[in-house]
């Protein structure tokens, strides 16, 4: 059953400025946790920092903390130290994203504009520190608002902040029109060059930034695996609650599911997204940030959570295996001006899962799901003459017009076939191995026509 969610979007800076001045003090409501509400998620790193503050012992190492207070063994300490190192490396590829939108207003004084500012997160995918250039991924909903007066509803005012340079009141402030001020030496101007509402992904470009030039910023990389598995340790890096970059750990609690979100404030239809589910705490401002495995590889881009009062730790993440292909498609389509949506290749078939089963992979200690994916109907070009109803997909290869193999993938989940189509360009040939009538055969489908590509928003 699909879940309907409100987009757990970027934290509104307008609201932040309105309420932060109240100086709300914990415990002044007389409840102190006795109101039936769950406490805030606390990681082992939070406990370590809290102990140092309480004892004043700033010389306490993380390793000693694990040994003396948590009774960790040497192997466990090495694992924890490795995770800590990965988290700290990932912080160097993380950015806080500040966007401002303008809105048309009408008053007795005439027509004008009002403004709101929002903040989210992003991940550096490529960086040239010598030139000050970078490419950054985030959610589309961090830079998009279809009630705004900005062209294409995409924010024309985007600023990025690196880890350690992203605290309001310290590294930047807001003017009355929610433009950012007092951020000299910290703020990085960015341009949105690609965005897709359908997939909730946006690609940003930074050119000639002096902040990047003098930084230790590094590029993160995506996991090479087509799949993640339940129980895998992960951590989210993002600007949680708009209070600066932070980390929160958890596990993958579901490897693939579908949810419905609505990125529109105009009442447009919900959009279905395939996501991973994680127990890593996700908060306002985490949108667009990375979910990483213990090797520091991106396994997904955070985009939402179930915000119901009776639900805990149901965060949702767009999987890396299609995000990386989608970003490559956006990059290849960029010609100097914003590209809204993507032109994706379609096989012209309806697929279905006719069987699904699991097995335990004892070598890697994990449960593996396999699906039998077959053609339900093959009625449209380019596949109508090559595929038949009942064909079972076994593998897919994509060969470029230059003869180079771009993809070679076994199809054991339905999403494998969907995701790999992001890699197809006009002139490519898709080779599909299918089981038909009890034997395997390979069919070749040439994507030599622009009509085999569909534009999505």
């Amino acid at each position: 059953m699909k879940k309907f969610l409100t987009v757990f979007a970027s934290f509104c800076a307008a609201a932040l400025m309105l309420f932060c001045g109240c100086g709300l003090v914990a415990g002044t409501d007389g409840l102190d946790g006795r109101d039936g509400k769950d406490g805030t998620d606390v990681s082992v790193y939070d406990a370590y920092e809290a102990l140092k503050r309480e004892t004043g012992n700033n010389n306490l190492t993380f390793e000693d903390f694990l040994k003396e207070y948590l009774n960790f063994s040497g192997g466990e300490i090495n694992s924890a130290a490795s995770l800590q190192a990965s988290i700290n490396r990932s912080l160097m590829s993380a950015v806080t994203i500040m966007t401002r939108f303008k809105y048309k207003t009408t008053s007795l004084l005439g027509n004008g504009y009002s403004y709101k500012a929002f903040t989210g997160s992003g991940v550096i995918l490529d960086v040239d520190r010598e030139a000050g250039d970078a490419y950054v991924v985030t959610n589309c909903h961090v830079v998009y608002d279809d009630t705004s007066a900005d062209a294409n509803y995409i924010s024309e005012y985007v600023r990025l902040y690196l880890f350690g340079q992203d605290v309001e009141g310290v590294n930047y402030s807001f003017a009355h029109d929610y433009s950012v001020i007092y951020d000299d030496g910290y703020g990085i101007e960015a341009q949105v060059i690609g965005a897709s509402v359908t997939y909730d992904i946006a690609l940003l470009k930074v050119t000639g930034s002096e902040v990047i030039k003098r930084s230790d910023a590094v590029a993160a990389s995506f996991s090479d695996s087509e799949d993640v598995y339940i129980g895998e340790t992960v951590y989210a890096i993002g600007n949680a609650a708009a209070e600066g970059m932070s980390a929160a750990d958890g596990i993958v609690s579901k490897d693939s599911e579908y949810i419905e979100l609505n990125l529109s404030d105009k009442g447009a239809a919900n959009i279905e997204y395939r996501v991973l589910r994680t127990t890593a705490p996700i908060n306002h401002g985490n949108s667009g940030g990375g979910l990483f495995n213990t090797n520091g590889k991106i396994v997904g881009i955070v985009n939402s959570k179930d915000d119901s009062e009776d639900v805990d730790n149901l965060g949702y993440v767009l999987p890396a295996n299609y995000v990386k292909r989608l970003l490559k498609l956006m990059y290849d389509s960029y010609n100097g001006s914003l590209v809204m949506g993507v032109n994706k290749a379609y096989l012209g078939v309806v697929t279905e899962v006719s069987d699904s089963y699991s097995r335990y992979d004892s070598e890697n200690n994990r449960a593996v799901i396999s699906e039998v994916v077959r053609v339900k109907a093959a009625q449209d070009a380019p596949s109508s003459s090559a595929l038949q109803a009942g064909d079972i997909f076994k593998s897919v290869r994509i060969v470029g017009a230059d003869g180079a193999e771009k993809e070679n993938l076994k199809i054991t989940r339905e999403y494998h076939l969907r995701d790999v189509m992001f890699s197809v360009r006009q002139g490519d040939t898709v080779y599909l191995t299918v089981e038909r009538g009890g034997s395997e055969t390979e069919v070749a489908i040439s994507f030599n026509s622009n009509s085999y590509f569909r534009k999505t928003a």
Side-chain angles (χ1 to χ4, degrees):
M1 183 176 181
K2 298 182 180 68
K3 295 180 177 67
F4 173 73
L5 304 171
T6 302
V7 172
F8 205 70
S10 40
F11 192 93
C12 178
L16 178 66
M17 294 182 70
L18 179 63
F19 293 111
C20 279
C22 297
L24 182 64
V25 179
T28 56
D29 58 0
L31 296 174
D32 294 337
R34 295 190 295 273
D35 57 356
K37 296 182 179 180
D38 292 332
T40 303
D41 293 296
V42 178
S43 72
V44 66
Y45 303 107
D46 295 327
Y48 167 59
E49 294 296 338
L51 181 65
K52 287 199 299 181
R53 289 195 299 270
E54 290 294 327
T55 61
N57 182 9
N58 291 321
N59 294 320
L60 179 68
T61 67
F62 186 65
E63 181 176 341
D64 288 341
F65 166 72
L66 293 175
K67 285 180 179 177
E68 295 176 20
Y69 294 92
L70 298 184
N71 297 318
F72 272 36
S73 67
E76 291 170 327
I77 289 173
N78 290 337
S79 177
S82 176
L83 177 60
Q84 184 184 33
S86 291
I87 289 174
N88 279 270
R89 284 195 301 270
S90 297
L91 285 168
M92 305 309 294
S93 65
V95 295
T96 285
I97 299 179
M98 197 71 62
T99 59
R100 185 183 69 155
F101 295 90
K102 62 181 179 182
Y103 305 86
K104 291 181 180 179
T105 60
T106 302
S107 68
L108 294 175
L109 300 178
N111 298 327
Y113 294 103
S114 63
Y115 298 87
K116 289 182 182 178
F118 296 82
T119 186
S121 305
V123 185
I124 298 173
L125 300 177
D126 186 67
V127 63
D128 181 343
R129 291 204 300 265
E130 184 175 349
D133 298 343
Y135 288 93
V136 173
V137 60
T138 188
N139 286 144
C140 181
H141 74 254
V142 171
V143 298
Y144 171 88
D145 183 345
D146 67 357
T147 64
S148 76
D150 293 290
N152 297 298
Y153 307 125
I154 295 293
S155 175
E156 298 170 357
Y157 186 97
V158 181
R159 298 184 76 78
L160 313 180
Y161 299 87
L162 300 174
F163 172 64
Q165 302 178 346
D166 58 351
V167 179
E168 184 192 357
V170 176
N171 306 117
Y172 67 89
S173 297
F174 290 104
H176 70 281
D177 63 352
Y178 295 112
S179 58
V180 179
I181 56 176
Y182 305 132
D183 71 339
D184 290 348
Y186 304 117
I188 302 169
E189 293 185 6
Q191 174 190 6
V192 183
I193 65 171
S196 171
V197 175
T198 302
Y199 299 105
D200 197 21
I201 286 294
L203 180 61
L204 315 182
K205 182 179 181 180
V206 174
T207 303
S209 167
E210 294 298 324
V211 179
I212 293 287
K213 289 179 182 180
R214 64 182 180 86
S215 75
D216 284 339
V218 297
S221 58
F222 284 98
S223 169
D224 294 329
S225 175
E226 288 297 324
D227 306 287
V228 298
Y229 298 93
I230 292 176
E232 184 172 355
T233 299
V234 290
Y235 56 89
I237 299 286
N239 183 25
E243 294 185 355
M245 205 61 61
S246 63
D249 63 338
I251 62 169
V252 173
S253 55
K254 194 169 180 62
D255 61 341
S256 182
E257 63 181 312
Y258 292 86
I259 61 173
E260 288 188 354
L261 299 177
N262 195 325
L263 304 192
S264 171
D265 288 325
K266 289 184 174 180
N270 298 333
I271 300 174
E272 184 179 79
Y273 296 91
R274 187 176 75 81
V275 293
L276 311 174
R277 190 195 300 174
T278 181
T279 63
I282 304 300
N283 295 285
H284 289 287
N286 274 114
S287 291
L291 187 75
F292 299 84
N293 62 21
T294 54
N295 294 320
K297 301 288 188 178
I298 301 170
V299 298
I301 299 298
V302 174
N303 87 319
S304 59
K305 73 173 290 183
D306 192 325
D307 206 21
S308 305
E309 290 186 2
D310 58 346
V311 172
D312 288 327
N313 294 333
L314 293 186
Y316 300 102
V317 182
L318 303 171
N321 51 1
Y322 91 73
V323 170
K324 61 184 176 182
R325 294 182 175 106
L326 173 63
L327 289 168
K328 180 66 164 58
L329 180 54
M330 284 183 174
Y331 178 82
D332 289 348
S333 303
Y334 179 63
N335 60 3
S337 58
L338 171 67
V339 178
M340 281 299 296
V342 292
N343 208 27
K344 183 186 178 184
Y346 282 82
L347 278 171
V349 300
V350 178
T351 62
E352 64 178 357
V353 176
S354 61
D355 193 12
S356 179
Y357 55 92
S358 64
R359 62 178 178 83
Y360 186 71
D361 179 358
S362 57
E363 183 177 349
N364 296 297
N365 297 315
R366 61 196 183 195
V368 178
I369 295 175
S370 294
E371 296 171 341
V372 176
V373 185
R374 69 178 184 180
V375 177
K376 184 176 182 180
Q379 53 194 20
D380 296 322
S383 300
S384 53
S385 61
L387 296 173
Q388 301 175 9
D391 284 349
I392 298 173
F393 294 103
K394 292 297 185 178
S395 64
V396 57
R397 291 190 302 122
I398 300 174
V399 177
D402 59 358
E405 186 175 83
K406 300 165 64 173
E407 298 272 6
N408 193 335
L409 177 67
K410 288 184 178 180
I411 301 173
T412 58
R413 301 292 293 268
E414 188 174 29
Y415 62 73
H416 290 159
L417 185 60
R418 295 182 182 180
D419 294 349
V420 79
M421 296 307 292
F422 284 111
S423 295
V424 179
R425 304 290 186 270
Q426 189 166 346
D428 291 355
T429 301
V430 176
Y431 295 91
L432 291 163
T433 299
V434 299
E435 181 182 322
R436 179 185 299 166
S439 60
E440 292 188 1
T441 184
E442 185 179 69
V443 298
I445 302 172
S446 179
F447 281 77
N448 53 15
S449 171
N450 189 52
S451 64
Y452 300 157
F453 297 79
R454 297 180 189 174
K455 182 76 172 181
T456 60

